[in-house]
Amino acid sequence: MIKKSLLPLALGGFGIGMTEFVIMGILPDVAAGLHITIPQAGHLITAYALGVVVGAPTLVSLLAHRPPRSVLMWFMALFTLFNAMSAFAPNYEVMLLSRFMAGLPHGAFFGVGAVVARQLADEGKVAAALATMFTGLTLANVFGVPAGTWLGHNLSWRAVFLVVAAIGLLTVFALRRLVPPIAANARTSLRQDLRIFRSRALWLALAITSIGTGGFFAFFSYIAPLLTEVTHLQPARLPMVMTVVGVGMTVGVLLGGRLADRVPPLQAILLLLAGMSTLLLCNGLFAASQPAMLLLAFATGANALALGPPIQMLLIEHSRDAEMLGSSLGQSGFNIGNALGAFLGGIPLSLGYSSAAPQWVAAGLALAGVVLAATMLAQGRVQARAAV
């Protein structure tokens, strides 16, 4: 049975997962509402992702000395405010700013939340407590994103961000009511925390995360025009496909955790990125087939989220001296990939190529991640031999 004190973390994860991924299902609606092109709307995805990248290490480092519960409440208050701002954005420029600002507390919430979950966990159930928090993120893709996609198509895309803001506000109250006060950590200097970035291995791990997962986001950012214009799927069926992707993500998190327990993290990442490259190539090759795209939507979602546990383990492995900061880097890396994938995937569309063209960009990014992972693995083996 899930502890009540962990439920606000899952609820916050649900809201964060919904706002991050739902825009990909309503991208054409947002573009039409703001009178911009699809590639321009893709920049809204990039702006949110950049907000996560900036906010995760910055906010965590600045507030690491504060009581964790109050920090989480402030993060969700900011999340609520800027998602409401997205709902009422009068033009593209304000929307771009609001998406960047809404992304700031994303990774920071998970970074601090991971530490809180570990402290609230019963003995021997730390992994289960962490999984509870991230379950909210995966359930957002099963229920929240498809529901938001339907709402965006049938009512208004602005209503979607109001729903997200309401979830954020509910999370603030749930944190206050259900999470017990937790003492702040002993203050360490920002300079001491930042020493982890001296590690070349950490930078390479971040590069693998950012570039490799960029392949998935180049696919997912433009899934709506791909399915409607190339696969010729009716817009009304997009929520169904988003549900399929979400179920795949949920299954993928569980499988990725099991794989990471049995195989060293870097080897697991290499295997999964190789699988991702193959799946993204297939998305381009079989884009005209509806049955194939449904199957690939599930498999691609599962493969992408399976990368989460081994990547998190790899990053923490190389940031032992700054636990809370290190735990936030996974979200930073994923969202660099989000920004990179959305930006690069939009380039062929801007040049007039078909909506299937981002899939070739996606496969190239995932393949680059394979090369980086293989390089890091080879370097590790060389260093291990030299140490003997």
Side-chain angles (χ1 to χ4, degrees):
M1 185 175 178
I2 297 176
K3 294 183 68 174
K4 287 184 178 180
S5 57
L6 295 173
L7 291 177
L9 301 180
L11 182 61
F14 185 93
I16 288 171
M18 186 171 175
T19 200
E20 180 177 21
F21 292 112
V22 74
I23 194 170
M24 297 161 185
I26 60 173
L27 203 65
D29 304 281
V30 175
L34 294 175
H35 308 291
I36 57 177
T37 66
I38 291 289
Q40 282 179 305
H43 295 164
L44 299 174
I45 300 172
T46 302
Y48 181 89
L50 290 175
V52 180
V53 174
V54 172
T58 304
L59 294 179
V60 167
S61 295
L62 291 176
L63 299 174
H65 64 293
R66 303 290 299 172
R69 185 184 69 170
S70 64
V71 169
L72 290 176
M73 290 173 64
W74 274 109
F75 287 163
M76 291 312 295
L78 291 173
F79 177 84
T80 299
L81 173 64
F82 292 117
N83 274 284
M85 182 177 169
S86 295
F88 294 105
N91 53 48
Y92 173 64
E93 290 75 19
V94 174
M95 186 67 172
L96 197 67
L97 176 63
S98 70
R99 296 317 294 154
F100 174 81
M101 299 299 288
L104 290 175
H106 172 133
F109 179 88
F110 284 117
V112 177
V115 175
V116 170
R118 189 171 61 255
Q119 294 189 34
L120 295 176
D122 294 327
E123 187 175 352
K125 295 186 177 180
V126 173
L130 291 172
T132 298
M133 179 175 66
F134 285 104
T135 295
L137 184 66
T138 59
L139 289 179
N141 285 283
V142 178
F143 300 108
V145 172
T149 301
W150 181 89
L151 186 64
H153 285 319
N154 293 279
L155 182 59
S156 168
W157 62 266
R158 295 182 184 278
V160 178
F161 292 108
L162 283 177
V163 170
V164 172
I167 293 171
L169 188 60
L170 183 60
T171 303
V172 174
F173 289 113
L175 286 165
R176 178 70 178 176
R177 185 172 181 82
L178 298 178
V179 176
I182 298 173
N185 292 329
R187 178 61 175 161
T188 58
S189 69
L190 179 58
R191 180 180 296 180
Q192 182 178 338
D193 286 348
L194 295 178
R195 286 176 183 170
I196 63 173
F197 291 106
R198 294 179 181 178
S199 169
R200 291 182 180 179
L202 177 63
W203 282 108
L204 189 51
L206 280 170
I208 292 168
T209 305
S210 305
I211 296 173
T213 62
F216 169 73
F217 288 109
F219 152 74
F220 203 37
S221 296
Y222 301 101
I223 189 171
L226 172 71
L227 293 174
T228 55
E229 296 175 17
V230 182
T231 314
H232 300 297
L233 199 70
Q234 293 297 317
R237 296 183 67 189
L238 282 178
M240 176 193 69
V241 180
M242 302 303 278
T243 301
V244 170
V245 176
V247 172
M249 288 178 174
T250 305
V251 172
V253 167
L254 299 175
L255 294 180
R258 292 185 179 182
L259 180 63
D261 283 336
R262 298 183 180 183
V263 179
L266 191 54
Q267 291 183 22
I269 291 168
L270 182 60
L271 288 171
L272 290 168
L273 284 176
M276 178 64 69
S277 302
T278 303
L279 287 169
L280 293 171
L281 283 172
C282 289
N283 276 315
L285 291 172
F286 300 106
S289 169
Q290 292 188 11
M293 291 307 292
L294 283 174
L295 179 61
L296 287 167
F298 175 86
T300 307
N303 190 293
L305 267 291
L307 279 161
I311 283 176
Q312 194 72 20
M313 290 175 65
L314 183 67
L315 291 169
I316 291 175
E317 192 177 293
H318 295 288
S319 55
R320 296 289 186 187
D321 295 330
E323 181 184 58
M324 200 176 288
L325 177 58
S327 68
S328 72
L329 292 177
Q331 291 298 314
S332 292
F334 277 118
N335 281 275
I336 293 172
N338 193 346
L340 190 66
F343 177 75
L344 294 179
I347 291 176
L349 296 181
S350 300
L351 295 175
Y353 290 94
S354 81
S355 294
Q359 304 311 306
W360 312 122
V361 175
L365 287 169
L367 189 58
V370 171
V371 173
L372 288 171
T375 300
M376 188 173 183
L377 189 61
Q379 288 180 354
R381 288 174 176 171
V382 169
Q383 292 172 357
R385 290 193 194 112
V388 175

